[in-house]
Amino acid sequence: MARMTAASTPDRRLCVAPMMDWTDRHCRAFHRVLTREALLYTEMAVDKAVIHGDRDKLIGFDPAEHPVAIQLGGSDPADLAKASRIAGGFGYIEINLNVGCPSDRVQSGRFGACLMQEPALVADCVKAMQDAVSLPVTVKCRIGVDEQDPEVALFDFVETVAAAGVTSFTVHARKAWLKGLSPKENRTVPPLDYDLVRRLKAQRPELEIILNGGLETLEQGLAETVPLDGMMLGRAAYHTPWILAEADSRLFGKADPVASRVEAVDAYRPYLESQLGKGTRLHDMTRHMLGLFTGQPGARLWRRILSEKAPKRGAGLEVIDEALAAVVPHDEAA
């Protein structure tokens, strides 16, 4: 179940970012076999979809995923309050508001990074969310958008939203360019400004500030987050998930749950078997495992077998066995 610090506050020293089409329940179940302590986030769930859609399919999760938080997208305080109540009933331990996604679809709905331009509206949203639930309500944002001066925009945004009661901000240390860059380019092209995030913490030491953006390893995260409160890994955690396997010992002083990549696969196997029994396609789960052996001899063969055979109709655990048989003789960690 959820591991939390005093006062029911999630421990955010290490978070795995909410990533659309990536951090679904199967991904989170896999990441959980690598780390028991990191705070995992859902993909962004749009408030209206949570209210009117298939809630179990959209935001359902297994308690074994804990500690897990949900990220919501929206800009209507009443709808966000309703969605927050629903999410709270599902057992999430935190509700995060997306003020960082730059995609066209998000902009057309007037939420995501474009809300950096409307801090008063964000303040109204988080206040409504806080009034609706007893869970922590947090915000994930950029340092600014388009022509905004981050030195002004970020500090003014945080001041306004913090006045509404938010005490924890995850800051992706890049601007978002809403016009001219694709969502993919927005994750890599705008320059990182970690120093700005550190200056924010120096000015607002009472707030919890989590750093996100461009962090590739735990070592880099630990170095860049002095004197911040934590790190949020995104693509690095997804493409090279093994970096999570030493997080519990290095960041939390706990025993790491698995000692090798093969042991991680074995630990994930009961989940795979259970989900296959429910009709889940093997590929829906193994696609999150493709990077497990990155940097190891045999990694390409592991990826190829899973990529080619897991999507086939009726594929089962024999595909995992075949991929492991191809890579295990080369796996020094095994």
Side-chain angles (χ1 to χ4, degrees), residues 296-330:
Q296 301 295 302
R300 182 177 299 178
L301 190 54
W302 164 264
R303 291 193 301 270
R304 191 180 76 191
I305 292 171
L306 292 185
S307 297
E308 292 179 355
K309 298 191 175 183
K312 293 182 179 180
R313 183 185 299 273
L317 295 179
E318 72 281 353
V319 175
I320 303 290
D321 295 335
E322 181 181 349
L324 273 180
V327 74
V328 164
H330 307 288

Side-chain angles (χ1 to χ4, degrees), residues 42-60:
T42 69
E43 304 169 90
M44 182 188 68
V46 178
D47 53 5
K48 289 180 174 58
V50 172
I51 295 169
H52 303 292
D54 184 339
R55 297 169 184 174
D56 287 330
K57 181 178 181 181
L58 183 63
I59 65 170

